Amino acid sequence: MQTRRRALAALITTAAMSLIASTAQAQTAKPVLNLFCWSEYVPEGVIKGFEKETGIKVNVENYDTNEKMLAKLLAGGAKYDLIQPSEYVVESLIKQAQLEPIDSAALENFKNLDPKSLNLEHDPGNKFSVPWMIGTVGIVVNTAKVKEEIKGYADVFNGKYKKRIVVLDDNREIVSWALATLGLPINDITAENLAKTKPIVKGWLKQVKAYDSDSPKTKFLKGDVDLGIVWSGEAALLWEANKGGGKFKYVLPAEGAHQFVDSLCIPKGAPHKDAAMKFINYILKPDVSKLISKDFPYTNPNLEARKLLKKEQLENPASYPAGEPKLDRFKDIGKAARDIDKMMTDLRSQ
Ligand code: SPD
């Protein structure tokens, strides 16, 4: 009897101790933020600054296409607090009720944003997204090597630059260039239109030397390629590397160029929503946003931060295109995204 009592007492003591230990651990555990973002888009210094200011530890995971991010997010399992989708993915996630609402009135620094970057079609009223950076997709030409004038996609793939071309490793992007070449709307992904793009894309892929959505600029700097279709921020860095121009030129394709708007969003069920809100407010501070522009010179939608940029940053033609070029934006295309991937997988394997 006494042995049983002793065993019971020991059991209770162990349980109590483990409860105390786990409570203490919960109290001392560092608050965290799980950030799932594009590669080469969030400067390390910004992460460190946020951690220092708030005591929140940021776990960063990267992706290089919206589609990869979406697949991972929707598969569940991993619990992200913040994601960084482009406009058409924001639109899709809103439709699928996969985003937490964002109360912009609770973000002290939201007022710094350019009204022109707000209230766009994909998220009227910015109920679920806060713009991060805006950019275009265009052509980089190494004019020291390519002597003829390159105006559009057709010039890049005219056959003379075989295996001297880098393109984004992004199926929807590549198909949209072929649609533009045909004069078709970039969001009209029907079986008929895809069939029209197929032979064009097939011809193009034979000429591509490398697919790279992370850092295509590196291939230019190493001299591996002379032409590329890349994000504008990459082109802007090449322009800077060449001291304000020189040999690398950025061209918005004559067949039609498009603009992307990448935003911060909080996925449904995010475990650390408060930390996510703090991060959004932090990156909206002008002096923090300025650091993002320094490392990744896309078009900064933060007007107060833009006031802090140097003249040469604002004069970078890839970051801030002159005039008001007509630019389309991607829209949610639902299941047709799978048709693009199917066609591209087939073509890439040939
Ligand atoms: N390295 C950051 C690249 C961000 C590009 N996002 C735009 C996607 C448009 N489809």
Side-chain angles (χ1 to χ4, degrees), residues 38-41 66 86 88 173 213-214 231 260 262 298 330:
W38 286 89
S39 48
E40 308 244 345
Y41 223 12
N66 278 298
S86 302
Y88 68 102
E173 283 294 340
S213 293
D214 289 325
W231 315 124
F260 54 82
D262 294 332
Y298 290 85
F330 282 176

Side-chain angles (χ1 to χ4, degrees), residues 22 63 74 115 126 160 179 187-188 191 194 210 215 217 244 246 266 321 337:
S22 63
Y63 52 86
L74 298 181
N126 287 84
K160 291 185 201 158
L179 285 165
N187 290 301
D188 202 0
L194 272 186
S215 184
K217 64 182 167 301
I266 305 177

Side-chain angles (χ1 to χ4, degrees), residues 101-111 125-127 129-130 277:
I102 292 178
D103 177 11
S104 53
L107 298 166
E108 193 198 328
N109 300 316
F110 191 84
K111 61 178 186 309
N126 287 84
K127 295 198 176 91
S129 65
V130 175
M277 288 294 281

